[in-house]
Amino acid sequence: MKVLIIGSGGREHALVSKVAENTSVKKVYCAPGNGGSQRENKCENINITKIDELLSFALENRIDITIVGSEELLVQGIVDKFNENGLKILGPSQKAARLEGSKSYSKEFMKKYAIKTAAYEVFENENKALEYLKKCEYPIVIKADGLAAGKGVVICNDLIAAKNIINDFMILDIFKGSGKKIIIEEFLEGVEASILSITDGKVILPFISSKDHKQIFDGDMGPNTGGMGVIAPNPYCSKEVLDEFEKHILRPTLVGIQQEAMDYKGIIFFGIMITSKGVYLLEYNVRFGDPETQAVLPLMKSDFVELVTCAIEGDLQNFELQWNKGYSCCVIAASKGYPGSYDTGIEINENNKLEGKLFVAGAKEEDGVLKTSGGRVLGITGIGETLDKARDIAYADMKKVQFDGMYYRSDIGK
């Protein structure tokens, strides 16, 4: 079996590692991959990123299964193209990918199918948005409608902060079109949880829960990032919380997918908020989360390739998804200056004697040496019988890896 993984981050490195565990897989290609994926058993990086090139490669090399990490390509319709050419691919159709590609569309979907979510208004005119802000209770949440690399959601504590965000999103257009349309949403107080899941369009199988840490600094301070660390399972996801999630969010989402005739055989990622008033859906993602994948997949006991195959073939009904006991903690190391501007090309000093697993995100290999190439450079995942043990492993390993300007939070999982 030959498998193609599309993407270049820590998420894709984790996918490559998990896919390679299957004994039937003889070759894994990662396009374009990174300095970590190419070191994995059975893996070869392929320097292509465009849909037509990826399609040609998959046809020429008779790829058995393709897994897409990139939300941009899903929104652009890569799954439709592959399906039209008889190729097996895990992911939603272009129509279904709008659940992530447009936050206004996803909020309308939630409203239509009575999925519990925060109150909201949609704006395409900055003056109308500014008028609305004068009547709001604060804090308030402002979201860019389109894709923004995990940075398009901002909590504003007062009117001045909200006006600045409107200016950034709608006037300065920092997200190159994705923030020209915005959602202003009620602020929900509580604890966030991430629940990755997989669907074949008939059933949705949830994975174990996880908890992301978005802000750059300890204590959840500073600007949002793509994610600075994750723990799994999420200690706040009690049986009562998960039961409520299934009843008020997961099941009606499946009804909506079916009623809207979405061709959806892929990952659906629920971002939820656990509040004193119940469990609310914050957003959908239509692909694996990063860095949630690096924490969740290492705990999966079931064969991942078999799971993906069942989803693509519409046969998840009889799949028994099993998990190893214990906890995981993934800590992310970032470049100095991230999520703002940062330098690249900095050599990474590695240590082969790690107890956990190192997943490369923004780093390339040059002449056998890893060098930084992105803001989030790498993550280390520790696995333990307790969350404290998993944390201890991740943080002990992090001290064994260095590069100039390396920064990581010290409170992931605390």
Side-chain angles (χ1 to χ4, degrees):
M1 185 182 287
K2 289 184 279 188
V3 179
L4 173 63
I5 310 288
I6 299 175
S8 62
R11 161 183 58 199
E12 287 75 26
H13 185 180
L15 288 167
V16 166
S17 176
K18 198 67 179 175
V19 165
E21 291 176 5
N22 183 290
T23 54
S24 298
V25 173
K26 72 171 185 179
K27 188 75 176 179
V28 185
Y29 296 100
C30 196
N34 60 40
S37 59
Q38 72 183 45
R39 294 180 175 185
E40 288 292 330
N41 184 32
K42 308 177 186 177
C43 186
E44 178 184 342
N45 282 354
I46 306 297
N47 190 25
I48 51 175
T49 56
K50 293 188 172 133
I51 291 177
D52 289 342
E53 294 172 341
L54 292 162
L55 176 61
S56 296
F57 178 85
L59 288 167
E60 289 166 13
N61 290 274
R62 298 183 181 180
I63 298 298
D64 295 288
I65 294 172
T66 298
I67 302 171
V68 186
S70 159
E71 57 267 36
E72 290 92 348
L73 295 181
L74 292 169
V75 169
Q76 289 168 20
I78 187 172
V79 169
D80 308 71
K81 283 274 184 77
F82 271 56
N83 283 334
E84 286 163 13
N85 285 273
L87 291 166
K88 292 182 179 180
I89 182 168
L90 184 76
S93 64
Q94 188 172 26
K95 178 182 177 181
R98 288 186 71 200
L99 287 173
E100 177 170 2
S102 170
K103 286 188 172 63
S104 59
Y105 172 80
S106 69
K107 291 293 284 190
E108 289 159 13
F109 177 91
M110 294 173 208
K111 188 176 182 179
K112 184 175 180 180
Y113 292 101
I115 296 160
K116 201 168 178 179
T117 191
Y120 70 100
E121 293 289 342
V122 179
F123 296 92
E124 293 184 76
N125 179 287
E126 64 269 18
N127 291 322
K128 288 182 179 178
L130 290 168
E131 282 301 310
Y132 179 77
L133 287 172
K134 292 174 185 175
K135 300 178 282 185
C136 288
E137 287 185 23
Y138 289 86
I140 202 81
V141 181
I142 300 178
K143 297 181 176 181
D145 181 63
L147 300 178
K151 299 170 192 170
V153 178
V154 181
I155 298 168
C156 302
N157 290 314
D158 53 45
L159 179 59
I160 293 171
K163 283 181 175 179
N164 289 335
I165 293 302
I166 296 292
N167 187 61
D168 286 348
F169 284 18
M170 303 185 85
I171 308 300
L172 298 179
D173 194 20
I174 63 170
F175 296 127
K176 298 179 181 176
S178 287
K180 297 294 267 184
K181 185 177 186 179
I182 63 163
I183 294 87
I184 300 179
E185 192 176 89
E186 168 195 13
F187 174 76
L188 298 174
E189 191 164 357
V191 178
E192 286 192 50
S194 303
I195 302 180
L196 284 164
S197 59
I198 192 166
T199 184
D200 59 1
K202 301 173 189 173
V203 298
I204 299 177
L205 289 184
F207 293 2
I208 57 167
S209 61
S210 58
K211 186 179 189 312
D212 190 11
H213 298 66
K214 280 282 184 196
Q215 279 84 5
I216 186 70
F217 300 126
D218 284 6
D220 294 331
M221 302 297 286
N224 268 359
T225 70
M228 291 302 294
V230 175
I231 56 170
N234 188 324
Y236 294 95
C237 284
S238 63
K239 184 181 184 302
E240 291 76 20
V241 165
L242 293 174
D243 286 347
E244 188 177 342
F245 158 73
E246 184 166 339
K247 181 179 179 182
H248 295 296
I249 297 173
L250 187 148
R251 286 183 202 161
T253 295
L254 182 60
V255 169
I257 286 170
Q258 293 168 342
Q259 291 289 319
E260 299 293 323
M262 293 178 178
D263 182 8
Y264 204 142
K265 294 177 179 177
I267 298 300
I268 184 161
F269 170 165
F270 300 90
I272 65 171
M273 181 71 82
I274 304 161
T275 78
S276 59
K277 297 178 183 178
V279 180
Y280 289 75
L281 179 62
L282 296 175
E283 64 179 3
Y284 295 110
N285 290 327
V286 297
R287 39 68 192 178
F288 285 98
D290 187 339
E292 288 89 349
T293 304
Q294 296 92 296
V296 171
L297 281 192
L299 290 174
M300 186 180 285
K301 187 176 182 180
S302 299
D303 186 276
F304 179 64
V305 175
E306 287 179 15
L307 174 68
V308 169
T309 302
C310 284
I312 293 171
E313 295 178 351
D315 193 27
L316 279 179
Q317 187 77 48
N318 300 313
F319 194 94
E320 187 182 352
L321 189 51
Q322 296 181 319
W323 299 91
N324 291 313
K325 291 180 180 178
Y327 294 80
S328 67
C329 176
C330 176
V331 180
I332 300 296
S335 298
K336 182 181 179 181
Y338 176 79
S341 59
Y342 50 84
D343 293 329
T344 58
I346 299 167
E347 185 173 331
I348 301 167
N349 295 309
E350 303 176 75
N351 186 316
N352 294 325
K353 296 177 181 177
L354 302 181
E355 191 175 348
K357 172 71 175 177
L358 188 151
F359 293 113
V360 170
K364 295 179 180 179
E365 189 173 79
E366 295 178 11
D367 300 322
V369 177
L370 269 184
K371 294 184 178 180
T372 65
S373 62
R376 290 187 298 164
V377 176
L378 57 90
I380 295 178
T381 300
I383 306 288
E385 293 177 3
T386 64
L387 179 55
D388 283 344
K389 179 62 176 172
R391 286 187 77 254
D392 289 346
I393 291 170
Y395 277 105
D397 281 350
M398 196 59 84
K399 290 176 182 175
K400 300 174 186 174
V401 180
Q402 284 110 23
F403 58 89
D404 287 346
M406 175 174 160
Y407 167 79
Y408 55 91
R409 280 179 56 165
S410 65
D411 65 343
I412 303 302
K414 272 194 177 176

